[in-house]
Amino acid sequence: MIDPYQILDLDPNQTTDEIVRKAYMDAIRRYPPDREPEKFEQIRFAYDQIKQERDRMNLRLFGLNRKQSILEILPDSDERPRVGAEKWLAMIEEEAKRKEITNPYARNKHESTKR
Amino acid sequence: MSSKKNKKNTLRISEPVTAGHIQETLKRENAQKALDQAKQFIKDHPGAEAELLLAQAYQLRIRQLHESGLVQDAKNLIDIAKNKCPKHKSLFDAIQDETFHFPLSRQDLSQIAKRLHATNCEEITKIHLLEILKIGLSNPALLIECPDWPSHSAMKQEASIILDAFEAVAGTFSEGQRKQRMERLAQVSRRSPLAHWCFFIRALDAYHRADDVTARALLARIPDHTALAAAKTVLSDKMDQQLVPTSLSSRSTRELWKSLTPESPRAQWRDLAKAIHSRQRRSIREKTERILQAQWISSPLWAREVVRSIIRVMEEEDIHDKQVEDLLQKNLVRHFGEMGSLFHELDSIIFHGIDFPDMAVEDLETFVENWKDHLSDKEQAALLARAALFAREDERSYANPFPFFFSRQAPNHAESIRLYKKACHLDPLSEYFHPLVALMREEKRKSTEIEKILEKWKKASPNDCTPLIISFEEAESRGAFHKSMKFLEEAERIDPLNPNVRDARQRLVWQMIQKHLQQIKYHLVEKDRKQLNGFDLPPIKRTLFNGIDRVLALLRHELDPGPGESDPVFSSILMHHLRNHLQLKMGSHLDQTVPLVDLDSGTKLETYYNFRDLLLSFDEVPVLPTAWFNRFPDWIRNADSLSTELLLRIARTILINGIPAVVVAATARGLKDDGPKLPEFLYYRALALWRESPVHELTVDKCLRAVITLCRKKGEYDLERRVMESYTSFRKKMFDFDVFGGESHREPIELSEREITQIIQRERQRTEPKSKSKSKKPKRLLEVINALRDELNIARKEPSPSKKVSPNQPEREEIPLEERTDDPQPLLW
């Protein structure tokens, strides 16, 4: 995740210096550096991008102020990407309809189960 | 049924119907006739027997409808029958069990819920219903949403736990949240009809973590006769990397199947980057389209970063494709609305400007003009400031075989100043005043012009003491001490603890002291000294100002009061510097009482360089006898121990007009240590050799290349960047006239291990500059040939005896013209 607003759970259209600072302090209380170093680093990065009005303006105009290439910030590739429960449930429903699942209490168990 | 048939039946039933008739009809399985007869019978003879016969008739009819495939009609009739024959519900429940189709619909779940939670629900019925639920449920959400299922029911809670865990595993949740939700799966009972969902969710998680062994083991525990078993097949196929099954019914289902396993973001990016580098336009378009539709682009900012990166790579490859640009623009418009077009145009200008900054200047200004209705004043100012930065950029150095045809103009500072002024006008509270003023001072603009800008800055930021400090420096540089004092006092009023303000005060006091010493107004010097009483000065500055007391004593011809708080070495150097710099009348008294020390040890050398750095912070340089400076190389060579830090400080003086001989001596010691700073020492050695006259191009070239190679091996990228800049500048100066860009664009920069070792060994042995031992008017051709022979390790050719240079010639004759006399001159090092 690289969107500073997402990381700090802020609405980009309703942000002031004070709101950002408060969100940052809340976040580092939940993820202190000694317990969650990676998350803390993300939070710190996010804060640096939007802590002042000028920073937020620069983010809006010029994008992220980052030194890493896009490859370095893309989500890790070791895991297979997750697509959401909705798609899986839709696939299960489709396949279940296509497959003939027998009703063990049907009078004639060899009957078709087509609607 | 047709009305004629109904009429026929009605005619036949005009005979009185008996129970026997109905039973006979039931035996013959004529359901519709049996039902009509039963309805007639119950009208004529209401009672338990009639009700039973009606129920049996309904049962037969329902069964026949179901067998004909009219499932919905059958289900509807079940409801009617239950109402008509409430005492025989159990008959209809049994039929209902037979009529369930899988996967279960919402209506089915409602029916199951009502029956399960009915007060007279028998145990066997419950077992049947739970089994049907286990087999037929394809989505836990249906159970959760079913209004007939009580919210306190254990099964609904289990379904909720399962759905939460499923969403966490299948979606982009944080690791912590996923773990938390999966832990709750332990609350689902093993005997629950939903228990097999837990296996699937865990299998899906293992699949996403690429742990196929665990995934398969868990999938094997899902019963094959359930609706969920369908997912088993899909997941197994994905792990086996099967292609889309041809048995899938529709295109949309096939697309859905494919979308379950998208490519990883990095794989997608690599594919696209590869296509761009290979310059295959069709492939670029396809892959761009695919990446822009990726699921992992979860916010507009992500989309923008991806688009920016694509624009950047395409600019680097100099590929311009209208279709791809349209795709990118449309994507941004989708995320940002009209602003998407703005962002697309802006990113294109900026990335194009990396290689063509002069074009970016013009394009950015036009862009601001065209989009000013969509940009605030601050944003316009930020863009103009960006344009000003482009205007300041140095000529880009890249592998260009035709430098004459594609070289750009030198940095356009005038344009940069104009743009900064515009930016400051739009956003007076911005930080653009600072670079504007700095640039104007660098360009030596008129002081009145600079003052106007400083006034505007002060007006816009009355609480900022920076413009006052700059005004102070400007006035001080013109010698207008009273004016500078006013600015300083105003700055001290605003921010007395500001370090820049305090430094300015110390600097002013130093200037005043020197002025009053020259004017022989010693009482004013004492007064100036007292200004700093109570100041928390760093030790070196305290030593400096305390040393003034001793200077005063000597000037007043008092007996030598001793060094006092001052370091005697520091004190000696200070006094001789002041005498020479200010032309003070101390005469031989100074040389007798406080002779200029020899810097024959590490401590003394360090003291001198501290003094030097301090004076540089006041924009001054030490003014001491040339002959004394000339002994530096010997002191450096013979000093007992010199820290690496001190040697580097001495070597770095080459960056600001340092004397090559001193740097060569310092780097010789540094190279011998063979420590981690070796590349840096070699770099400064190369710069020192470059400063010589004539320049030994090959030696300098090899040294710089050796440093670059070492930096790359050691991962010292900051130093590498600096050295590359020097190397590029060096090649440009040396081969400026070579149309084809010289060797630098053909041979690789890096040297072999063997070559680097040879260079280091040679440079270690060199303790003085190459030019030192040469005669005043060298034979250039012979020098060049001998230099080449040195490089190639061939024996030197000695000059003819009549022209031999005597090694014993007096030092004076060898000293370059500018260093010939003993008169002290400010050597800028």
Side-chain angles (χ1 to χ4, degrees), chain B residues 242-270:
Chain B
Q242 296 289 338
L243 297 174
V244 180
T246 50
S247 54
L248 290 179
S249 53
S250 65
R251 187 163 182 250
S252 60
T253 314
R254 286 194 287 276
E255 289 301 319
L256 178 62
W257 194 96
K258 275 197 273 187
S259 71
L260 290 175
T261 45
E263 263 183 303
S264 76
R266 289 191 188 188
Q268 280 188 314
W269 178 259
R270 282 197 192 99

PDB file of all heavy atoms in Angstrom, chain B residues 242-270:
ATOM      1  N   GLN B 242      -3.855 -25.444 -14.952  1.00  0.00           N
ATOM      2  CA  GLN B 242      -4.644 -25.890 -16.104  1.00  0.00           C
ATOM      3  C   GLN B 242      -5.161 -24.681 -16.870  1.00  0.00           C
ATOM      4  O   GLN B 242      -5.278 -23.585 -16.311  1.00  0.00           O
ATOM      5  CB  GLN B 242      -5.869 -26.698 -15.613  1.00  0.00           C
ATOM      6  CG  GLN B 242      -5.528 -27.981 -14.890  1.00  0.00           C
ATOM      7  CD  GLN B 242      -4.980 -29.013 -15.843  1.00  0.00           C
ATOM      8  OE1 GLN B 242      -5.217 -28.959 -17.053  1.00  0.00           O
ATOM      9  NE2 GLN B 242      -4.245 -29.971 -15.311  1.00  0.00           N
ATOM     10  N   LEU B 243      -5.457 -24.902 -18.132  1.00  0.00           N
ATOM     11  CA  LEU B 243      -6.071 -23.842 -18.929  1.00  0.00           C
ATOM     12  C   LEU B 243      -7.556 -23.789 -18.598  1.00  0.00           C
ATOM     13  O   LEU B 243      -8.073 -24.660 -17.897  1.00  0.00           O
ATOM     14  CB  LEU B 243      -5.892 -24.142 -20.424  1.00  0.00           C
ATOM     15  CG  LEU B 243      -4.440 -24.180 -20.884  1.00  0.00           C
ATOM     16  CD1 LEU B 243      -4.366 -24.615 -22.335  1.00  0.00           C
ATOM     17  CD2 LEU B 243      -3.788 -22.813 -20.708  1.00  0.00           C
ATOM     18  N   VAL B 244      -8.201 -22.774 -19.121  1.00  0.00           N
ATOM     19  CA  VAL B 244      -9.632 -22.611 -18.868  1.00  0.00           C
ATOM     20  C   VAL B 244     -10.385 -23.862 -19.346  1.00  0.00           C
ATOM     21  O   VAL B 244     -10.211 -24.268 -20.487  1.00  0.00           O
ATOM     22  CB  VAL B 244     -10.179 -21.380 -19.631  1.00  0.00           C
ATOM     23  CG1 VAL B 244     -11.650 -21.205 -19.364  1.00  0.00           C
ATOM     24  CG2 VAL B 244      -9.405 -20.130 -19.251  1.00  0.00           C
ATOM     25  N   PRO B 245     -11.205 -24.482 -18.477  1.00  0.00           N
ATOM     26  CA  PRO B 245     -11.908 -25.700 -18.906  1.00  0.00           C
ATOM     27  C   PRO B 245     -12.885 -25.384 -20.034  1.00  0.00           C
ATOM     28  O   PRO B 245     -13.611 -24.376 -19.969  1.00  0.00           O
ATOM     29  CB  PRO B 245     -12.664 -26.153 -17.653  1.00  0.00           C
ATOM     30  CG  PRO B 245     -12.062 -25.388 -16.523  1.00  0.00           C
ATOM     31  CD  PRO B 245     -11.491 -24.154 -17.085  1.00  0.00           C
ATOM     32  N   THR B 246     -12.917 -26.228 -21.027  1.00  0.00           N
ATOM     33  CA  THR B 246     -13.825 -25.980 -22.152  1.00  0.00           C
ATOM     34  C   THR B 246     -15.266 -26.257 -21.768  1.00  0.00           C
ATOM     35  O   THR B 246     -16.192 -25.826 -22.440  1.00  0.00           O
ATOM     36  CB  THR B 246     -13.448 -26.882 -23.341  1.00  0.00           C
ATOM     37  OG1 THR B 246     -13.330 -28.224 -22.856  1.00  0.00           O
ATOM     38  CG2 THR B 246     -12.127 -26.451 -23.952  1.00  0.00           C
ATOM     39  N   SER B 247     -15.461 -26.984 -20.648  1.00  0.00           N
ATOM     40  CA  SER B 247     -16.822 -27.318 -20.248  1.00  0.00           C
ATOM     41  C   SER B 247     -17.563 -26.133 -19.643  1.00  0.00           C
ATOM     42  O   SER B 247     -18.761 -26.203 -19.415  1.00  0.00           O
ATOM     43  CB  SER B 247     -16.774 -28.466 -19.241  1.00  0.00           C
ATOM     44  OG  SER B 247     -15.910 -28.111 -18.189  1.00  0.00           O
ATOM     45  N   LEU B 248     -16.856 -25.053 -19.359  1.00  0.00           N
ATOM     46  CA  LEU B 248     -17.548 -23.895 -18.771  1.00  0.00           C
ATOM     47  C   LEU B 248     -18.556 -23.350 -19.767  1.00  0.00           C
ATOM     48  O   LEU B 248     -18.277 -23.240 -20.960  1.00  0.00           O
ATOM     49  CB  LEU B 248     -16.548 -22.804 -18.394  1.00  0.00           C
ATOM     50  CG  LEU B 248     -15.624 -23.149 -17.201  1.00  0.00           C
ATOM     51  CD1 LEU B 248     -14.679 -22.024 -16.942  1.00  0.00           C
ATOM     52  CD2 LEU B 248     -16.432 -23.461 -15.968  1.00  0.00           C
ATOM     53  N   SER B 249     -19.735 -22.995 -19.219  1.00  0.00           N
ATOM     54  CA  SER B 249     -20.890 -22.774 -20.092  1.00  0.00           C
ATOM     55  C   SER B 249     -20.790 -21.525 -20.951  1.00  0.00           C
ATOM     56  O   SER B 249     -21.200 -21.523 -22.101  1.00  0.00           O
ATOM     57  CB  SER B 249     -22.161 -22.725 -19.251  1.00  0.00           C
ATOM     58  OG  SER B 249     -21.993 -21.777 -18.211  1.00  0.00           O
ATOM     59  N   SER B 250     -20.316 -20.446 -20.384  1.00  0.00           N
ATOM     60  CA  SER B 250     -20.408 -19.211 -21.165  1.00  0.00           C
ATOM     61  C   SER B 250     -19.082 -18.470 -21.134  1.00  0.00           C
ATOM     62  O   SER B 250     -18.184 -18.775 -20.346  1.00  0.00           O
ATOM     63  CB  SER B 250     -21.485 -18.309 -20.573  1.00  0.00           C
ATOM     64  OG  SER B 250     -21.089 -17.905 -19.275  1.00  0.00           O
ATOM     65  N   ARG B 251     -19.009 -17.456 -21.960  1.00  0.00           N
ATOM     66  CA  ARG B 251     -17.790 -16.644 -22.043  1.00  0.00           C
ATOM     67  C   ARG B 251     -17.552 -15.941 -20.718  1.00  0.00           C
ATOM     68  O   ARG B 251     -16.427 -15.853 -20.233  1.00  0.00           O
ATOM     69  CB  ARG B 251     -17.952 -15.625 -23.163  1.00  0.00           C
ATOM     70  CG  ARG B 251     -16.682 -14.878 -23.418  1.00  0.00           C
ATOM     71  CD  ARG B 251     -16.687 -14.167 -24.754  1.00  0.00           C
ATOM     72  NE  ARG B 251     -15.389 -13.530 -24.899  1.00  0.00           N
ATOM     73  CZ  ARG B 251     -15.180 -12.220 -24.856  1.00  0.00           C
ATOM     74  NH1 ARG B 251     -16.187 -11.400 -24.713  1.00  0.00           N
ATOM     75  NH2 ARG B 251     -13.965 -11.723 -24.976  1.00  0.00           N
ATOM     76  N   SER B 252     -18.662 -15.458 -20.141  1.00  0.00           N
ATOM     77  CA  SER B 252     -18.505 -14.701 -18.882  1.00  0.00           C
ATOM     78  C   SER B 252     -17.976 -15.613 -17.782  1.00  0.00           C
ATOM     79  O   SER B 252     -17.165 -15.204 -16.956  1.00  0.00           O
ATOM     80  CB  SER B 252     -19.828 -14.065 -18.480  1.00  0.00           C
ATOM     81  OG  SER B 252     -20.789 -15.079 -18.304  1.00  0.00           O
ATOM     82  N   THR B 253     -18.409 -16.864 -17.806  1.00  0.00           N
ATOM     83  CA  THR B 253     -17.918 -17.812 -16.791  1.00  0.00           C
ATOM     84  C   THR B 253     -16.442 -18.099 -17.012  1.00  0.00           C
ATOM     85  O   THR B 253     -15.670 -18.203 -16.057  1.00  0.00           O
ATOM     86  CB  THR B 253     -18.709 -19.129 -16.838  1.00  0.00           C
ATOM     87  OG1 THR B 253     -20.088 -18.828 -16.914  1.00  0.00           O
ATOM     88  CG2 THR B 253     -18.449 -19.984 -15.619  1.00  0.00           C
ATOM     89  N   ARG B 254     -16.062 -18.184 -18.278  1.00  0.00           N
ATOM     90  CA  ARG B 254     -14.644 -18.433 -18.575  1.00  0.00           C
ATOM     91  C   ARG B 254     -13.793 -17.247 -18.127  1.00  0.00           C
ATOM     92  O   ARG B 254     -12.708 -17.411 -17.582  1.00  0.00           O
ATOM     93  CB  ARG B 254     -14.451 -18.708 -20.065  1.00  0.00           C
ATOM     94  CG  ARG B 254     -14.944 -20.092 -20.492  1.00  0.00           C
ATOM     95  CD  ARG B 254     -14.425 -20.455 -21.879  1.00  0.00           C
ATOM     96  NE  ARG B 254     -15.079 -19.711 -22.934  1.00  0.00           N
ATOM     97  CZ  ARG B 254     -16.246 -20.050 -23.480  1.00  0.00           C
ATOM     98  NH1 ARG B 254     -16.900 -21.112 -23.058  1.00  0.00           N
ATOM     99  NH2 ARG B 254     -16.773 -19.317 -24.446  1.00  0.00           N
ATOM    100  N   GLU B 255     -14.319 -16.055 -18.380  1.00  0.00           N
ATOM    101  CA  GLU B 255     -13.581 -14.848 -17.943  1.00  0.00           C
ATOM    102  C   GLU B 255     -13.474 -14.817 -16.424  1.00  0.00           C
ATOM    103  O   GLU B 255     -12.428 -14.442 -15.880  1.00  0.00           O
ATOM    104  CB  GLU B 255     -14.293 -13.570 -18.432  1.00  0.00           C
ATOM    105  CG  GLU B 255     -14.201 -13.325 -19.927  1.00  0.00           C
ATOM    106  CD  GLU B 255     -12.777 -13.207 -20.418  1.00  0.00           C
ATOM    107  OE1 GLU B 255     -11.951 -12.581 -19.740  1.00  0.00           O
ATOM    108  OE2 GLU B 255     -12.463 -13.762 -21.499  1.00  0.00           O
ATOM    109  N   LEU B 256     -14.560 -15.208 -15.777  1.00  0.00           N
ATOM    110  CA  LEU B 256     -14.561 -15.249 -14.314  1.00  0.00           C
ATOM    111  C   LEU B 256     -13.502 -16.230 -13.823  1.00  0.00           C
ATOM    112  O   LEU B 256     -12.741 -15.952 -12.898  1.00  0.00           O
ATOM    113  CB  LEU B 256     -15.957 -15.658 -13.820  1.00  0.00           C
ATOM    114  CG  LEU B 256     -16.142 -15.808 -12.303  1.00  0.00           C
ATOM    115  CD1 LEU B 256     -15.893 -14.496 -11.598  1.00  0.00           C
ATOM    116  CD2 LEU B 256     -17.555 -16.302 -11.984  1.00  0.00           C
ATOM    117  N   TRP B 257     -13.430 -17.371 -14.451  1.00  0.00           N
ATOM    118  CA  TRP B 257     -12.439 -18.399 -14.083  1.00  0.00           C
ATOM    119  C   TRP B 257     -11.023 -17.834 -14.207  1.00  0.00           C
ATOM    120  O   TRP B 257     -10.188 -17.979 -13.330  1.00  0.00           O
ATOM    121  CB  TRP B 257     -12.626 -19.613 -14.994  1.00  0.00           C
ATOM    122  CG  TRP B 257     -11.917 -20.858 -14.539  1.00  0.00           C
ATOM    123  CD1 TRP B 257     -12.430 -21.875 -13.815  1.00  0.00           C
ATOM    124  CD2 TRP B 257     -10.562 -21.227 -14.840  1.00  0.00           C
ATOM    125  NE1 TRP B 257     -11.488 -22.856 -13.614  1.00  0.00           N
ATOM    126  CE2 TRP B 257     -10.327 -22.496 -14.230  1.00  0.00           C
ATOM    127  CE3 TRP B 257      -9.520 -20.640 -15.541  1.00  0.00           C
ATOM    128  CZ2 TRP B 257      -9.103 -23.156 -14.310  1.00  0.00           C
ATOM    129  CZ3 TRP B 257      -8.306 -21.299 -15.605  1.00  0.00           C
ATOM    130  CH2 TRP B 257      -8.097 -22.549 -14.998  1.00  0.00           C
ATOM    131  N   LYS B 258     -10.773 -17.142 -15.317  1.00  0.00           N
ATOM    132  CA  LYS B 258      -9.430 -16.572 -15.552  1.00  0.00           C
ATOM    133  C   LYS B 258      -9.117 -15.495 -14.531  1.00  0.00           C
ATOM    134  O   LYS B 258      -7.991 -15.369 -14.055  1.00  0.00           O
ATOM    135  CB  LYS B 258      -9.362 -15.944 -16.957  1.00  0.00           C
ATOM    136  CG  LYS B 258      -9.022 -16.957 -18.036  1.00  0.00           C
ATOM    137  CD  LYS B 258      -8.555 -16.292 -19.309  1.00  0.00           C
ATOM    138  CE  LYS B 258      -9.687 -15.936 -20.202  1.00  0.00           C
ATOM    139  NZ  LYS B 258      -9.295 -15.433 -21.521  1.00  0.00           N
ATOM    140  N   SER B 259     -10.131 -14.711 -14.184  1.00  0.00           N
ATOM    141  CA  SER B 259      -9.872 -13.557 -13.303  1.00  0.00           C
ATOM    142  C   SER B 259      -9.546 -13.974 -11.876  1.00  0.00           C
ATOM    143  O   SER B 259      -9.080 -13.167 -11.083  1.00  0.00           O
ATOM    144  CB  SER B 259     -11.090 -12.621 -13.290  1.00  0.00           C
ATOM    145  OG  SER B 259     -12.138 -13.224 -12.587  1.00  0.00           O
ATOM    146  N   LEU B 260      -9.768 -15.233 -11.548  1.00  0.00           N
ATOM    147  CA  LEU B 260      -9.485 -15.684 -10.173  1.00  0.00           C
ATOM    148  C   LEU B 260      -7.981 -15.713  -9.886  1.00  0.00           C
ATOM    149  O   LEU B 260      -7.563 -15.669  -8.749  1.00  0.00           O
ATOM    150  CB  LEU B 260     -10.080 -17.087  -9.954  1.00  0.00           C
ATOM    151  CG  LEU B 260     -11.598 -17.147  -9.894  1.00  0.00           C
ATOM    152  CD1 LEU B 260     -12.059 -18.591  -9.811  1.00  0.00           C
ATOM    153  CD2 LEU B 260     -12.133 -16.377  -8.705  1.00  0.00           C
ATOM    154  N   THR B 261      -7.182 -15.825 -10.906  1.00  0.00           N
ATOM    155  CA  THR B 261      -5.726 -15.866 -10.692  1.00  0.00           C
ATOM    156  C   THR B 261      -5.047 -14.870 -11.617  1.00  0.00           C
ATOM    157  O   THR B 261      -4.516 -15.239 -12.655  1.00  0.00           O
ATOM    158  CB  THR B 261      -5.153 -17.266 -10.962  1.00  0.00           C
ATOM    159  OG1 THR B 261      -5.735 -17.751 -12.178  1.00  0.00           O
ATOM    160  CG2 THR B 261      -5.422 -18.207  -9.831  1.00  0.00           C
ATOM    161  N   PRO B 262      -5.101 -13.621 -11.237  1.00  0.00           N
ATOM    162  CA  PRO B 262      -4.415 -12.630 -12.063  1.00  0.00           C
ATOM    163  C   PRO B 262      -2.911 -12.753 -11.906  1.00  0.00           C
ATOM    164  O   PRO B 262      -2.426 -13.351 -10.944  1.00  0.00           O
ATOM    165  CB  PRO B 262      -4.909 -11.305 -11.481  1.00  0.00           C
ATOM    166  CG  PRO B 262      -5.206 -11.623 -10.062  1.00  0.00           C
ATOM    167  CD  PRO B 262      -5.644 -13.052 -10.016  1.00  0.00           C
ATOM    168  N   GLU B 263      -2.212 -12.144 -12.827  1.00  0.00           N
ATOM    169  CA  GLU B 263      -0.742 -12.113 -12.717  1.00  0.00           C
ATOM    170  C   GLU B 263      -0.352 -11.236 -11.541  1.00  0.00           C
ATOM    171  O   GLU B 263      -1.058 -10.285 -11.230  1.00  0.00           O
ATOM    172  CB  GLU B 263      -0.204 -11.441 -13.977  1.00  0.00           C
ATOM    173  CG  GLU B 263       0.239 -12.395 -15.038  1.00  0.00           C
ATOM    174  CD  GLU B 263       0.806 -11.606 -16.197  1.00  0.00           C
ATOM    175  OE1 GLU B 263       0.102 -10.757 -16.731  1.00  0.00           O
ATOM    176  OE2 GLU B 263       1.973 -11.846 -16.535  1.00  0.00           O
ATOM    177  N   SER B 264       0.796 -11.531 -10.968  1.00  0.00           N
ATOM    178  CA  SER B 264       1.239 -10.673  -9.867  1.00  0.00           C
ATOM    179  C   SER B 264       1.603  -9.296 -10.417  1.00  0.00           C
ATOM    180  O   SER B 264       1.980  -9.177 -11.590  1.00  0.00           O
ATOM    181  CB  SER B 264       2.448 -11.299  -9.181  1.00  0.00           C
ATOM    182  OG  SER B 264       3.595 -11.105  -9.968  1.00  0.00           O
ATOM    183  N   PRO B 265       1.483  -8.253  -9.594  1.00  0.00           N
ATOM    184  CA  PRO B 265       1.796  -6.899 -10.073  1.00  0.00           C
ATOM    185  C   PRO B 265       3.202  -6.803 -10.657  1.00  0.00           C
ATOM    186  O   PRO B 265       3.397  -6.178 -11.694  1.00  0.00           O
ATOM    187  CB  PRO B 265       1.676  -6.039  -8.816  1.00  0.00           C
ATOM    188  CG  PRO B 265       0.754  -6.796  -7.930  1.00  0.00           C
ATOM    189  CD  PRO B 265       0.978  -8.235  -8.201  1.00  0.00           C
ATOM    190  N   ARG B 266       4.164  -7.429  -9.981  1.00  0.00           N
ATOM    191  CA  ARG B 266       5.535  -7.291 -10.492  1.00  0.00           C
ATOM    192  C   ARG B 266       5.703  -8.005 -11.820  1.00  0.00           C
ATOM    193  O   ARG B 266       6.396  -7.508 -12.718  1.00  0.00           O
ATOM    194  CB  ARG B 266       6.530  -7.859  -9.480  1.00  0.00           C
ATOM    195  CG  ARG B 266       6.636  -6.973  -8.271  1.00  0.00           C
ATOM    196  CD  ARG B 266       7.771  -7.356  -7.384  1.00  0.00           C
ATOM    197  NE  ARG B 266       7.704  -6.578  -6.156  1.00  0.00           N
ATOM    198  CZ  ARG B 266       8.633  -6.559  -5.232  1.00  0.00           C
ATOM    199  NH1 ARG B 266       9.716  -7.271  -5.387  1.00  0.00           N
ATOM    200  NH2 ARG B 266       8.498  -5.831  -4.155  1.00  0.00           N
ATOM    201  N   ALA B 267       5.045  -9.155 -11.951  1.00  0.00           N
ATOM    202  CA  ALA B 267       5.136  -9.875 -13.226  1.00  0.00           C
ATOM    203  C   ALA B 267       4.512  -9.029 -14.328  1.00  0.00           C
ATOM    204  O   ALA B 267       5.048  -8.929 -15.438  1.00  0.00           O
ATOM    205  CB  ALA B 267       4.426 -11.216 -13.114  1.00  0.00           C
ATOM    206  N   GLN B 268       3.388  -8.398 -14.022  1.00  0.00           N
ATOM    207  CA  GLN B 268       2.743  -7.539 -15.023  1.00  0.00           C
ATOM    208  C   GLN B 268       3.648  -6.380 -15.413  1.00  0.00           C
ATOM    209  O   GLN B 268       3.759  -6.030 -16.590  1.00  0.00           O
ATOM    210  CB  GLN B 268       1.440  -6.972 -14.455  1.00  0.00           C
ATOM    211  CG  GLN B 268       0.285  -7.944 -14.519  1.00  0.00           C
ATOM    212  CD  GLN B 268      -1.031  -7.311 -14.133  1.00  0.00           C
ATOM    213  OE1 GLN B 268      -1.116  -6.600 -13.144  1.00  0.00           O
ATOM    214  NE2 GLN B 268      -2.045  -7.556 -14.910  1.00  0.00           N
ATOM    215  N   TRP B 269       4.271  -5.761 -14.400  1.00  0.00           N
ATOM    216  CA  TRP B 269       5.121  -4.603 -14.700  1.00  0.00           C
ATOM    217  C   TRP B 269       6.333  -5.036 -15.533  1.00  0.00           C
ATOM    218  O   TRP B 269       6.703  -4.359 -16.504  1.00  0.00           O
ATOM    219  CB  TRP B 269       5.565  -3.905 -13.407  1.00  0.00           C
ATOM    220  CG  TRP B 269       6.464  -2.771 -13.725  1.00  0.00           C
ATOM    221  CD1 TRP B 269       7.826  -2.740 -13.649  1.00  0.00           C
ATOM    222  CD2 TRP B 269       6.086  -1.512 -14.277  1.00  0.00           C
ATOM    223  NE1 TRP B 269       8.318  -1.548 -14.104  1.00  0.00           N
ATOM    224  CE2 TRP B 269       7.272  -0.778 -14.505  1.00  0.00           C
ATOM    225  CE3 TRP B 269       4.866  -0.934 -14.613  1.00  0.00           C
ATOM    226  CZ2 TRP B 269       7.258   0.508 -15.028  1.00  0.00           C
ATOM    227  CZ3 TRP B 269       4.864   0.345 -15.141  1.00  0.00           C
ATOM    228  CH2 TRP B 269       6.038   1.053 -15.344  1.00  0.00           C
ATOM    229  N   ARG B 270       6.924  -6.144 -15.152  1.00  0.00           N
ATOM    230  CA  ARG B 270       8.113  -6.609 -15.885  1.00  0.00           C
ATOM    231  C   ARG B 270       7.760  -6.893 -17.349  1.00  0.00           C
ATOM    232  O   ARG B 270       8.520  -6.559 -18.251  1.00  0.00           O
ATOM    233  CB  ARG B 270       8.680  -7.870 -15.250  1.00  0.00           C
ATOM    234  CG  ARG B 270       9.490  -7.610 -14.015  1.00  0.00           C
ATOM    235  CD  ARG B 270      10.358  -8.801 -13.655  1.00  0.00           C
ATOM    236  NE  ARG B 270      10.897  -8.605 -12.330  1.00  0.00           N
ATOM    237  CZ  ARG B 270      10.419  -9.144 -11.228  1.00  0.00           C
ATOM    238  NH1 ARG B 270       9.399  -9.965 -11.281  1.00  0.00           N
ATOM    239  NH2 ARG B 270      10.942  -8.880 -10.052  1.00  0.00           N
TER     240      ARG B 270
END
